[in-house]
Amino acid sequence: VNLFVNGKREGVYWQVESFSKDILEKQNIPGDVNLYGSLDFWDAPGSQYLDFVNIYSWKKYSQDSLSGVIDNYSDLKTFLDIVNNPSDEYFYNNIWNILDKENFYSWVAQQYLVTSTHQSGANIRLYFDTTRGKFYFIPWDVSMFSTPPALTELNYNAVITRVLKNPEFLQERYAALWKYVGDDKNLEDDLKRYDELDALTRNDFYKDTKKVESTYAYRKNIQKIRDEIREKFLYLRHNLEDANAFVTVGVDNKKP
């Protein structure tokens, strides 16, 4: 947004919309649902973590209208009970009853495309769709980190880690990733959208005489981020192309 004070241009600022039922309705999602976020916790200087055990570690941004005046957390409690059940079999058999599988894989795939877990930590946002009886994650504040070494998994929260321990679910995650990065058209669309946003905003940045960076540094940074989007897309494709199998061979000494 362009900020003006008493008619004087003060430059370009980043406006962040508050989470509420309105933010869902703008995306054609019913707003009268339980929309959750995590409270921020710190276990080390500069290190945030997400508590998937304690229901009191979560807060609501909107309320399910079907609950009336009751502040109902039963949907979240069911989700956390499944996540923390000690039986892997129980977890695998029930997680997709409370969590939408397609939404989950898309949400995780997006983290790969920016090599960032920023949105799956304390920034997590998810809502419970009462018509489907399942939770859906909302991607936001995704950030972008440096590209990790080849064939490296990202560090995850407890839910993602436990899902991917299942070989079947891990394979489905791979398939979801490949569906996106295996098609050059998706990269073309991503870069086209990036260029459209750049074209819409560049004149405002040029007029901003109070920006921290020079116009030259700003344009250089725009190109750097564009190159990173392409680099991460192709890096992820390369990782998936490089398939590996680990085999254990047992030797019987009596039968050389």
Side-chain angles (χ1 to χ4, degrees), residues 183-201:
D183 187 348
D184 286 329
K185 181 67 164 55
N186 289 323
L187 178 58
E188 293 172 9
D189 289 344
D190 287 346
L191 295 177
K192 179 182 177 182
R193 177 59 176 159
Y194 185 82
D195 293 339
E196 289 172 349
L197 292 172
D198 176 31
L200 282 170
T201 57

Side-chain angles (χ1 to χ4, degrees), residues 38-181:
S38 169
L39 300 176
D40 288 348
F41 294 93
W42 302 83
D43 59 357
S47 176
Q48 289 176 296
Y49 74 95
L50 181 59
D51 186 351
F52 273 105
V53 177
N54 193 341
I55 199 169
Y56 299 106
S57 300
W58 296 75
K59 59 183 176 181
K60 282 186 183 179
Y61 293 92
S62 70
Q63 171 74 19
D64 175 12
S65 60
L66 299 178
S67 300
V69 296
I70 300 174
D71 194 12
N72 185 8
Y73 282 76
S74 61
D75 46 15
L76 181 61
K77 184 178 186 306
T78 300
F79 177 47
L80 297 182
D81 286 346
I82 293 173
V83 170
N84 292 290
N85 190 287
S87 168
D88 285 339
E89 182 180 4
Y90 180 88
F91 174 82
Y92 297 148
N93 289 335
N94 288 277
I95 187 61
W96 305 130
N97 294 330
I98 194 68
L99 196 61
D100 185 84
K101 181 189 287 190
E102 183 177 353
N103 167 265
F104 175 83
Y105 287 140
S106 296
W107 180 67
V108 172
Q110 186 192 48
Q111 296 184 55
Y112 263 91
L113 288 166
V114 293
T115 57
S116 168
T117 59
H118 198 58
Q119 65 169 340
S120 62
N123 281 325
I124 198 168
R125 298 290 185 275
L126 68 165
Y127 70 93
F128 188 74
D129 189 326
T130 53
T131 62
R132 296 182 174 89
K134 294 184 179 183
F135 274 106
Y136 290 77
F137 289 102
I138 300 175
W140 85 288
D141 196 13
V142 296
S143 189
M144 183 183 286
F145 294 167
S146 59
T147 304
L151 305 177
T152 302
E153 283 276 3
L154 299 176
N155 291 318
Y156 294 118
N157 62 39
V159 173
I160 302 175
T161 298
R162 194 167 190 190
V163 167
L164 298 184
K165 281 176 59 180
N166 183 311
E168 180 183 344
F169 298 162
L170 180 63
Q171 179 60 29
E172 290 175 346
R173 193 283 307 267
Y174 283 135
L177 286 172
W178 183 255
K179 183 178 180 181
Y180 197 86
V181 299

Side-chain angles (χ1 to χ4, degrees), residues 185-229:
K185 181 67 164 55
N186 289 323
L187 178 58
E188 293 172 9
D189 289 344
D190 287 346
L191 295 177
K192 179 182 177 182
R193 177 59 176 159
Y194 185 82
D195 293 339
E196 289 172 349
L197 292 172
D198 176 31
L200 282 170
T201 57
R202 67 176 64 177
N203 287 337
D204 297 300
F205 281 104
Y206 290 155
K207 295 175 184 176
D208 184 357
T209 59
K210 300 183 179 182
K211 58 180 176 286
V212 176
E213 294 182 327
S214 66
T215 295
Y216 172 78
Y218 148 67
R219 293 309 308 169
K220 188 176 181 180
N221 202 28
I222 291 292
Q223 183 61 48
K224 175 177 178 288
I225 295 172
R226 191 184 193 278
D227 292 341
E228 286 181 352
I229 293 172

